[in-house]
């Protein structure tokens, strides 16, 4: 693998659902349906990426039954191994704001910077070798940003108003700037109205 390429992080649980989302050998249908697509994608593009499986399975059998189908992939220490491992997984899920599963996060393998969290949708759309490699190329060319500056859940359907709202939610300092501009604008309009009123009296 090219060490300057990409690292894909595969989440198959939000780690917070009770009872456990994946119990014994049963796994959510979206994860089961997506896994063969991801494996096929990996086999086509493995020179430019690796994949790390973040497991939230609660026992060895659950982990083995699923992971055996993903043998080319790396995996973190399973969450059932220790409370420390479980807490680390929860922290990662919180960091990347995992909302749905499966989720694939793309990072720059060299810097660890964030590229996209919409990889699952993008991978599902590519069906041939050329389009798969074109997708990887687009990730490589995309500007990666530090994780604390990343905009997550970009793959969710959102209108212009929601996108604008999320922009300010993720950048609270801008809210104060916007408030100042609105306040100054209203003050200017008020003064302009007073000037026109005085001019009319003359």
């Amino acid at each position: 693998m090219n060490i300057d390429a990409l690292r894909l992080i595969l989440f198959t649980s939000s780690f917070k659902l009770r009872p456990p989302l994946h119990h014994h050998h049963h796994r959510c249908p979206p994860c089961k349906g997506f896994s063969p697509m991801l494996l096929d994608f990996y086999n086509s593009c493995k020179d430019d990426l690796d994949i790390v499986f973040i497991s939230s399975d609660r026992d060895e059998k659950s982990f083995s039954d699923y992971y055996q189908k993903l043998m080319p992939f790396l995996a973190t220490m399973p969450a059932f191994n220790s409370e420390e491992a479980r807490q680390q997984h929860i922290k990662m899920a919180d960091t990347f704001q995992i909302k749905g599963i499966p989720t694939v996060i793309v990072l720059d393998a060299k810097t660890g910077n964030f590229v996209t969290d919409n990889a699952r949708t993008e991978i599902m759309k590519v069906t041939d070798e050329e389009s798969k490699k074109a997708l990887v190329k687009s990730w490589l060319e995309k500007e990666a940003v530090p994780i604390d500056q990343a905009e997550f859940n970009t793959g969710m359907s959102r209108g212009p108003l929601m996108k604008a709202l999320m922009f300010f939610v993720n950048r609270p300092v801008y809210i104060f700037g916007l408030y100042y501009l609105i306040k100054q604008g209203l003050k200017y309009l008020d003064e302009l109205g007073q000037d026109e009123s005085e001019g009319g009296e003359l």
Side-chain angles (χ1 to χ4, degrees):
M1 176 196 167
N2 175 4
I3 61 171
D4 295 329
L6 302 166
R7 173 152 296 152
L8 278 59
I9 312 296
L10 170 64
F11 287 89
T12 57
S13 174
S14 65
F15 295 90
K16 289 188 174 181
L17 300 180
R18 292 291 185 272
L21 182 67
H22 303 139
H23 183 62
H24 299 300
H25 62 283
H26 301 290
R27 191 165 294 272
C28 72
C31 297
K32 290 167 66 175
F34 178 64
S35 296
M37 299 181 191
L38 183 61
L39 180 59
D40 183 63
F41 181 80
Y42 171 79
N43 287 331
S44 297
C45 307
K46 58 186 176 183
D47 289 341
D48 291 308
L49 57 84
D50 64 13
I51 298 176
V52 179
F53 173 43
I54 310 295
S55 167
S56 62
D57 292 294
R58 303 300 293 268
D59 55 65
E60 182 67 41
K61 177 172 173 50
S62 301
F63 176 72
S64 298
D65 286 351
Y66 188 61
Y67 187 58
Q68 282 178 354
K69 300 176 183 178
L70 305 174
M71 284 305 291
F73 305 165
L74 304 172
T76 60
M77 185 73 71
F80 64 80
N81 207 349
S82 67
E83 179 60 23
E84 181 181 1
R86 182 177 178 278
Q87 290 302 321
Q88 288 176 345
H89 290 194
I90 290 174
K91 183 177 181 180
M92 282 189 286
D94 285 344
T95 297
F96 294 113
Q97 299 180 24
I98 303 302
K99 304 294 184 184
I101 58 168
T103 294
V104 180
I105 307 290
V106 180
L107 304 176
D108 182 303
K110 185 176 182 180
T111 65
N113 285 347
F114 174 85
V115 177
T116 183
D117 62 356
N118 194 35
R120 173 194 172 188
T121 300
E122 294 176 316
I123 290 171
M124 291 175 69
K125 290 179 179 179
V126 293
T127 56
D128 56 65
E129 294 293 314
E130 184 177 351
S131 60
K132 291 172 186 175
K133 293 189 180 298
L135 176 57
V136 171
K137 185 174 184 291
S138 72
W139 290 339
L140 289 168
E141 292 174 348
K142 186 175 181 180
E143 182 181 2
V145 299
I147 292 173
D148 60 358
Q149 298 176 20
E151 291 187 41
F152 296 104
N153 304 309
T154 56
M156 298 176 67
S157 177
R158 297 186 294 191
L161 183 60
M162 181 59 70
K163 290 180 180 179
L165 177 62
M166 292 305 298
F167 177 86
F168 287 105
V169 168
N170 291 327
R171 299 169 178 82
V173 68
Y174 286 13
I175 296 176
F176 295 103
L178 181 63
Y179 172 76
Y180 174 80
L181 290 175
I182 292 174
K183 186 177 180 180
Q184 291 299 112
L186 292 174
K187 181 180 179 182
Y188 171 76
L189 292 174
D190 183 57
E191 292 174 350
L192 186 62
Q194 290 180 2
D195 290 342
E196 290 179 351
S197 177
E198 292 174 358
E201 293 177 357
L202 294 174

